[in-house]
Amino acid sequence: MTQAEIKLCSLLLQEHFGEIVEKIGVRLIRTGSQPLRVIAHDTGTSLDQVKKALCVLAQHNLVSYQVHKRGVVEYEAQCSRVLRMLRYPRYIYTTKTLYSDTGELIVEELLLNGKLTMSAVVKKVADRLTETMEDGKTMDYAEVSNTFVRLADTHFVQRCPSVPTTENSDPGPPPPAPTLVINEKDMYLVPKLSLIGKGKRRRSSDEDAAGEPKAKRPKYTTDNKEPIPDDGIYWQANLDRFHQHFRDQAIVSAVANRMDQTSSEIVRTMLRMSEITTSSSAPFTQPLSSNEIFRSLPVGYNISKQVLDQYLTLLADDPLEFVGKSGDSGGGMYVINLHKALASLATATLESVVQERFGSRCARIFRLVLEKKHIEQKQVEDFAMIPAKEAKDMLYKMLSENFMSLQEIPKTPDHAPSRTFYLYTVNILSAARMLLHRCYKSIANLIERRQFETKENKRLLEKSQRVEAIIASMQATGAEEAQLQEIEEMITAPERQQLETLKRNVNKLDASEIQVDETIFLLESYIECTMKRQ
């Protein structure tokens, strides 16, 4: 765990959950697994506050616990899961494009709350959608339930592990912490619920439909409440499935850029056919026959079987080897080599960074070293057609920035420089790790800058919000245009200009965060895939 990652985790925890949770979370990240009382002692926080902070972190899967032989429960921070909070806007936007506004709000509620029952999600989403509809229109629970089922069928949401139901035959004391288990077959099994009803609007006044003020409403006991039909069955967003979708989209986009739209559509079809059957960590997709691919092409995509076979042959013969041929049955069996695809995408990212940072000549040298694997300085000058002095400067510059490494091959045991070959090489894995570390630092800097901009203009932002609230309440009561204009003029022209500049700067910083996170995702996927193969 690098300092850059710890700092980024600290900023994310503080932004989402506040100072106390951030203090506990960072302490666990720095020290590893710790029991409850040690955490309270080390952080100088009361036991009650530590318990509440750990509850919040556990609810969002940011902390795991383990019971040791002596019965001591130790808590451990899941740093990689904390860093996933950067990607929340991307998860939500992806669901919106695939499953419209209803799917977007379902995933948003699950991400905001960590874990929820299906019935609670359906009611919350139906209420939120009803709020945005015209008067007289409401969102039916059944419609939201159908979208939830579709998300579970495509594995974008999954059940949380739960405490197994066992008969109380053991009279001994209960364990210090429950053991959570889940059957793999039940992970995406949606409970049969008959949710009948429609979304409700929030009432602006303090009185309900019967006209009773809030203070005079009868307080119902919990005994009068109907039992929740899916009590104990909690759901969460399946982030691995989202990552699989992002990886597939990156591969499709790369094929489209390298070849054409038809090739990318064929690859998209192959990935779509194997998205449920292939695990997110598999190096290859399941083998698919040419006939199966032809039958699964999108409706209205008019290409003949012969043209499809030509495209598949072209993809299989491509030097990048995104698609490979694994057999000849069924018109030819084809797979997508996910590891090679990720390696190509990571290499392209490194090349792009070298070009932007050091210029096109350095990029030429970098690509040359990648192609030749090991190369001497004199050969670099000859092959790249760059003067000796410039080539030397560029090689040393990339060497000092850890984009390249130098390998010594001595002719004699004494390692004398005159009798040693010095070969330049690119270790893609170490270069990817170095670039990933810099990306974490960049995101932390972007978040700090955004917080600084917001803090500097805090007074102006509060004034703007007050004015907007007054205008909204006056519009609801049917105020005249002249009155509204008078309220709007409370914010002067220079202040309005300052607000516009702030908004533009914050939007740029947000967009930069998302772009850097896309690079982080590619590099993380490549490193994870490579480490599993070793």
Side-chain angles (χ1 to χ4, degrees):
M1 182 58 55
T2 62
Q3 286 299 317
E5 286 174 279
I6 293 170
K7 184 182 178 183
L8 182 53
C9 286
S10 170
L11 287 166
L12 288 168
L13 287 171
Q14 187 167 12
E15 194 169 42
H16 284 78
F17 305 114
E19 286 183 14
I20 295 172
V21 175
E22 180 261 337
K23 189 197 290 185
I24 305 298
V26 171
R27 184 69 195 173
L28 286 174
I29 289 168
R30 288 185 186 279
T31 59
S33 57
Q34 294 272 341
L36 180 66
R37 293 191 180 278
V38 174
I39 299 167
H41 177 267
D42 289 353
T43 55
T45 313
S46 70
L47 209 58
D48 190 45
Q49 284 185 323
V50 173
K51 285 179 182 177
K52 287 176 181 175
L54 287 171
C55 280
V56 170
L57 291 167
Q59 174 74 9
H60 289 267
N61 298 318
L62 305 178
V63 154
S64 61
Y65 61 84
Q66 193 175 0
V67 183
H68 287 272
K69 288 178 183 177
R70 294 181 179 178
V72 178
V73 181
E74 289 195 346
Y75 298 89
E76 187 176 1
Q78 302 296 314
C79 183
S80 60
R81 189 64 177 72
V82 176
L83 294 172
R84 292 296 82 82
M85 288 195 287
L86 276 173
R87 224 160 278 159
Y88 279 8
R90 202 173 166 197
Y91 299 142
I92 293 165
Y93 180 72
T94 300
T95 322
K96 184 182 175 72
T97 56
L98 295 173
Y99 297 98
S100 74
D101 293 345
T102 311
E104 175 198 6
L105 291 182
I106 288 170
V107 170
E108 188 180 324
E109 286 293 340
L110 288 173
L111 291 173
L112 284 174
N113 294 282
K115 303 179 181 78
L116 279 177
T117 59
M118 180 181 169
S119 55
V121 172
V122 168
K123 285 170 186 171
K124 279 172 178 275
V125 170
D127 290 349
R128 284 181 65 181
L129 287 168
T130 303
E131 285 283 333
T132 60
M133 289 179 167
E134 297 171 9
D135 288 340
K137 290 186 178 180
T138 53
M139 174 56 72
D140 202 340
Y141 286 172
E143 199 174 327
V144 182
S145 295
N146 291 338
T147 306
F148 193 99
V149 170
R150 285 166 61 205
L151 282 164
D153 288 343
T154 48
H155 297 187
F156 281 105
V157 296
Q158 63 182 18
R159 281 194 190 191
C160 302
S162 57
V163 180
T165 53
T166 54
E167 294 179 7
N168 297 329
S169 56
D170 187 9
T179 305
L180 303 178
V181 294
I182 187 163
N183 190 341
E184 207 166 311
K185 290 186 289 184
D186 299 336
M187 199 174 277
Y188 307 103
L189 184 67
V190 180
K192 291 179 181 177
L193 302 177
S194 55
L195 292 170
I196 302 163
K198 296 179 184 294
K200 297 179 180 66
R201 295 177 191 275
R202 288 182 195 158
R203 299 193 174 276
S204 55
S205 66
D206 284 343
E207 298 189 1
D208 60 10
E212 287 183 288
K214 276 188 178 177
K216 292 185 181 178
R217 287 182 198 160
K219 292 183 180 178
Y220 296 102
T221 59
T222 52
D223 300 337
N224 293 339
K225 287 186 178 178
E226 293 180 9
I228 301 167
D230 59 342
D231 190 21
I233 303 173
Y234 287 88
W235 292 82
Q236 61 187 357
N238 182 5
L239 304 190
D240 287 340
R241 177 68 185 85
F242 278 101
H243 293 168
Q244 189 181 338
H245 179 77
F246 297 155
R247 180 201 65 198
D248 293 352
Q249 292 296 100
I251 291 170
V252 169
S253 177
V255 172
N257 290 337
R258 184 169 176 81
M259 293 187 176
D260 63 356
Q261 198 61 40
T262 308
S263 301
S264 70
E265 198 57 52
I266 292 165
V267 171
R268 190 197 303 275
T269 303
M270 292 174 72
L271 289 166
R272 194 174 63 245
M273 290 168 72
S274 56
E275 64 186 1
I276 303 296
T277 56
T278 306
S279 72
S280 57
S281 58
F284 297 92
T285 60
Q286 295 292 328
L288 299 166
S289 71
S290 171
N291 295 327
E292 284 178 311
I293 298 166
F294 182 68
R295 285 195 297 271
S296 299
L297 282 170
V299 180
Y301 216 79
N302 298 319
I303 61 168
S304 64
K305 177 72 168 62
Q306 186 182 359
V307 173
L308 174 67
D309 288 339
Q310 288 172 349
Y311 267 108
L312 286 169
T313 306
L314 191 69
L315 284 163
D317 292 342
D318 188 72
L320 288 180
E321 297 179 17
F322 277 25
V323 177
K325 193 170 184 179
S326 63
D328 295 313
S329 58
M333 301 294 287
Y334 295 90
V335 296
I336 292 177
N337 190 331
L338 300 170
H339 176 70
K340 283 205 172 173
L342 286 171
S344 298
L345 291 168
T347 306
T349 303
L350 286 168
E351 286 178 17
S352 173
V353 170
V354 168
Q355 178 148 344
E356 292 299 321
R357 188 163 182 150
F358 305 114
S360 57
R361 284 188 161 195
C362 274
R364 193 196 309 172
I365 292 172
F366 187 78
R367 281 192 289 268
L368 175 68
V369 177
L370 270 174
E371 187 185 338
K372 299 291 183 184
K373 302 288 190 290
H374 294 85
I375 190 168
E376 284 188 284
Q377 186 179 311
K378 182 71 174 72
Q379 292 174 303
V380 170
E381 297 160 13
D382 296 340
F383 284 126
M385 293 183 289
I386 294 173
K389 188 175 182 298
E390 286 183 36
K392 186 178 178 181
D393 286 347
M394 289 172 186
L395 282 167
Y396 286 177
K397 197 184 292 180
M398 286 189 279
L399 186 66
S400 65
E401 294 280 350
N402 296 322
F403 284 97
M404 282 189 190
S405 55
L406 197 61
Q407 190 171 347
E408 295 181 9
I409 302 178
K411 292 181 188 176
T412 54
D414 61 355
H415 285 260
S418 59
R419 293 185 293 277
T420 303
F421 292 112
Y422 294 95
L423 302 179
Y424 288 93
T425 184
V426 175
N427 184 335
I428 297 174
L429 186 61
S430 65
R433 282 196 175 120
M434 176 273 298
L435 188 57
L436 181 63
H437 176 72
R438 289 189 176 179
C439 286
Y440 287 140
K441 287 178 77 173
S442 300
I443 289 239
N445 290 342
L446 286 166
I447 291 172
E448 284 186 325
R449 182 69 202 180
R450 174 164 51 77
Q451 289 176 349
F452 172 77
E453 290 277 350
T454 311
K455 190 177 177 182
E456 283 290 292
N457 296 279
K458 188 179 177 183
R459 186 197 59 79
L460 189 58
L461 284 169
E462 286 174 355
K463 183 180 177 182
S464 171
Q465 286 169 358
R466 281 198 304 273
V467 169
E468 283 173 10
I470 294 166
I471 290 170
S473 64
M474 288 179 74
Q475 282 175 338
T477 54
E480 293 178 7
E481 192 65 37
Q483 290 175 310
L484 295 174
Q485 189 71 31
E486 191 179 335
I487 298 296
E488 282 179 5
E489 285 171 3
M490 286 171 66
I491 297 177
T492 61
E495 285 178 332
R496 205 172 292 280
Q497 191 176 354
Q498 196 177 340
L499 277 170
E500 285 296 318
T501 306
L502 172 65
K503 188 178 177 182
R504 191 165 56 250
N505 290 343
V506 168
N507 286 342
K508 274 184 187 175
L509 292 166
D510 284 339
S512 301
E513 277 180 49
I514 292 166
Q515 286 175 341
V516 175
D517 182 59
E518 286 176 14
T519 306
I520 287 174
F521 170 72
L522 279 178
L523 296 171
E524 279 181 344
S525 301
Y526 166 69
I527 292 166
E528 186 183 346
C529 190
T530 307
M531 294 307 293
K532 281 178 181 173
R533 282 172 66 92
Q534 287 178 356

